[in-house]
Amino acid sequence: MSFKDNTDIVFEHYEKKIYDQKQLLEISRALNSTLDYKYLIDAILNICLAQLQTLHAAMYLEPEIDLGIFKLEPQSTKGFELSFEEQNYEIKMDTSLIHFFEEKTKAITMEQISKVESLQDSADLQFLKRLGAEIIVPLNAKGKVNGLLVLGEKMTSEEFLEDEKEFMTTLANLAGIAVENARLYELATVDMMTGLKIHHYFQTKLKEEMERCRKKGTKLSLLFTDVDKFKVFNDTYGHQAGDVVLIEVARQLINAAQRHHIPARYGGEEFCLVMPGASEEEAFAKGEEIRKAVEAMVVKNPNDGSDLKVTLSVGISSFRLSDRNNKDLIERADKALYQAKHSGRNRTICYKE
């Protein structure tokens, strides 16, 4: 090889290094620009797919704080075809695999890790191998492994280069910190039983959206829901069954909400949805979508396994320039909800004078 050829190779290597560093800087900015937990996970997986040219990526994370296990969440896998058992597989934190990554906080291929003597009997490693994992990267935050990033083979079937493994190690460290921050923020703003935003968060965001309407002339609608005859339901089937119903109703609200909507728990069985940009007609359509979804759902009684059904009443109000504060908009939605409850229940009503 001539001196010129060798120089060209060196230059190409450093140009790639500079490009990767610029990419990581942009990625770091992107990851630190959001505290939306689900959006963050999706962004990390998409970055992995694009940068590593693979069709398979998954993140094993702790579903609840201090649970002591890592598992896949519904939004934390792309490309892998998983059975029900594989989707729900749990990796305990107190295992040889996690202890290994606490010591070796770097991206490592399955070929390399399979040669580690202490992991020869690791059931977790065998599971990941069957899954189709080609490289595993530990996520780190505050000196602790807080997740595993698992990638499948490259589309070109080539081996992962050392530069790519270094890139993934740095990315995983950035991702680990971003995920930890988002998780802490979620714990502070989300009702853990239902997954809805808490009352204080709802009031704060509603105020912000109303201010945006005043400044920019945009639309805003507020949707209030209440489970019909919920007290009777609780007295009949017990509070455990009542909690299951609230969780399932909240799930319908969350599923129906668009990304810029804010589903929240106002109090008790009363939930709400803040809809920036939505007209009254659009809010009514969304209210009907949620109401019909709840009417169609069947909930299993945790006491005896019997089928339980509930209905939902929905009240809607839309922002007016005359609204002085949150209270005005909330009161109108509450009055519309009251009218829905007292005109037969299981219906959606928009506030009218």
Side-chain angles (χ1 to χ4, degrees), residues 63-77:
E64 294 177 30
I65 195 166
D66 292 331
L67 202 58
I69 61 166
F70 294 132
K71 65 179 296 187
L72 294 175
E73 297 182 33
Q75 74 277 8
S76 67
T77 179

Side-chain angles (χ1 to χ4, degrees), residues 37 78 104 120 218 325:
Y37 186 67
K78 288 183 181 288
K104 309 286 184 183
Q120 295 301 310
T218 53
N325 49 41

Side-chain angles (χ1 to χ4, degrees), residues 5-138:
D5 290 337
N6 190 52
T7 303
D8 288 342
I9 292 171
V10 171
F11 271 121
E12 284 179 14
H13 174 74
Y14 280 108
E15 282 178 352
K16 177 71 166 58
K17 282 276 190 183
I18 292 168
Y19 174 78
D20 285 349
Q21 291 302 314
K22 286 181 177 178
Q23 286 289 95
L24 285 169
L25 183 60
E26 289 302 313
I27 289 167
S28 177
R29 286 173 180 163
L31 295 183
N32 287 296
S33 68
T34 181
L35 287 169
D36 186 319
Y37 186 67
K38 293 178 181 178
Y39 175 78
L40 185 65
I41 292 170
D42 191 63
I44 294 167
L45 293 178
N46 284 331
I47 289 167
C48 292
L49 296 178
Q51 293 294 324
L52 276 296
Q53 296 182 341
T54 177
L55 295 173
H56 308 87
M59 287 176 70
Y60 282 84
L61 300 166
E62 191 176 15
E64 294 177 30
I65 195 166
D66 292 331
L67 202 58
I69 61 166
F70 294 132
K71 65 179 296 187
L72 294 175
E73 297 182 33
Q75 74 277 8
S76 67
T77 179
K78 288 183 181 288
F80 286 108
E81 294 183 7
L82 305 173
S83 66
F84 178 80
E85 290 75 16
E86 290 170 335
Q87 178 71 49
N88 290 279
Y89 186 86
E90 297 175 353
I91 300 175
K92 292 183 173 61
M93 291 183 183
D94 188 21
T95 59
S96 57
L97 182 65
I98 303 304
H99 293 322
F100 171 82
F101 280 118
E102 286 170 350
E103 298 293 326
K104 309 286 184 183
T105 57
K106 293 182 178 180
I108 186 167
T109 64
M110 290 300 289
E111 184 181 359
Q112 291 172 316
I113 200 170
S114 296
K115 296 175 182 177
V116 177
E117 189 174 341
S118 62
L119 296 176
Q120 295 301 310
D121 298 324
S122 170
D124 296 327
L125 190 60
Q126 295 305 314
F127 169 78
L128 293 173
K129 189 181 292 185
R130 291 194 303 273
L131 204 65
E134 284 291 323
I135 189 167
I136 306 174
V137 198

